[in-house]
Amino acid sequence: VITAHYMSKQRKAPGRPGKTPPWTRGAKRGIGKALDAGSHVCFTISEGAVTESYYPREDNACLGESAFIITDGKKFYSDERKDAHHQIERIDNYSPGFIVANECKQGRYIIKKEIISDPLRNCLLQKVRFDAYGNNNLKLHQITIPRFPENAKLRRAYVQKLNGIEMLFAETNGLVVAVASSLAFDRRSV
């Protein structure tokens, strides 16, 4: 159970309150779920990104998408889902996880991911490697879209440090989606 305290300095997110996210595409390239009973998270993949994650049951979507945008902050903008060639493979014949490689159609970057459900915790893990092919001006931006049941409304979204790690949270009716990174976020908005 994650318990979080609100930040003492509240700031308003740009573009707030946002809009209801559309459902993601139905054409899936893979589905993954931990084989251990310690995890109740499953996920789907399409167009080189996680397109849905379900918890605590397979009929309860809590994440709409988790993908990356790549930009130099000036002229170059690339969405890995649309602007890259995707190679999606299973980790092996026995593991319900995937290795994904998204290579920019313009040849400017490659993103490699290993995606699994943690077998012991209710957690989706992505090991991400970003290679900008020597272009240090390109920056990686993560887009995570929470998706709660149709009758549930987003109650809160906030940034909070937990055990020294800054995390992004979205919460409704006791269900919490949290995003963390082993590298600190330069900027963030929820």
Side-chain angles (χ1 to χ4, degrees):
V1 175
I2 295 176
T3 305
H5 305 285
Y6 292 99
M7 293 176 55
S8 59
K9 185 177 182 181
Q10 294 288 329
R11 293 185 305 184
K12 300 198 183 223
R16 72 183 195 290
K19 58 184 177 179
T20 302
W23 282 103
T24 188
R25 65 212 56 72
K28 306 299 183 191
R29 293 281 309 273
I31 184 167
K33 181 174 180 158
L35 298 176
D36 192 289
S39 176
H40 300 285
V41 173
C42 70
F43 64 94
T44 59
I45 293 178
S46 180
E47 295 181 329
V50 172
T51 51
E52 286 163 330
S53 182
Y54 301 89
Y55 173 84
R57 301 175 316 271
E58 288 81 0
D59 66 341
N60 194 52
C62 58
L63 182 72
E65 264 185 305
S66 178
F68 292 100
I69 303 294
I70 301 85
T71 181
D72 63 4
K74 296 175 185 169
K75 294 181 180 180
F76 182 73
Y77 174 91
S78 179
D79 181 330
E80 73 170 337
R81 297 164 291 186
K82 300 173 187 171
D83 302 321
H85 298 290
H86 315 295
Q87 182 177 346
I88 301 170
E89 299 175 4
R90 290 181 53 195
I91 290 175
D92 59 38
N93 289 333
Y94 308 102
S95 304
F98 296 89
I99 297 173
V100 177
N102 295 326
E103 188 162 14
C104 176
K105 291 176 181 177
Q106 296 179 26
R108 298 188 65 176
Y109 66 83
I110 189 167
I111 300 171
K112 294 181 180 178
K113 307 176 204 179
E114 292 178 34
I115 305 169
I116 63 167
S117 289
D118 186 316
L120 303 176
R121 299 174 292 174
N122 294 314
C123 184
L124 176 66
L125 301 172
Q126 294 189 70
K127 182 178 180 180
V128 179
R129 291 190 176 116
F130 175 61
D131 184 353
Y133 293 146
N135 184 342
N136 294 332
N137 295 328
L138 293 183
K139 304 292 183 211
L140 192 64
H141 303 270
Q142 183 177 8
I143 305 281
T144 300
I145 302 170
R147 167 58 80 183
F148 295 116
E150 287 298 321
N151 58 349
K153 293 193 179 203
L154 178 66
R155 299 286 182 224
R156 298 184 261 211
Y158 50 95
V159 177
Q160 177 68 44
K161 276 193 176 182
L162 186 63
N163 297 329
I165 298 171
E166 189 171 64
M167 300 174 71
L168 298 103
F169 293 90
E171 168 181 0
T172 189
N173 299 341
L175 182 63
V176 177
V177 173
V179 177
S181 173
S182 59
L183 298 176
F185 298 112
D186 286 339
R187 289 186 242 166
R188 61 242 158 269
S189 177
V190 294

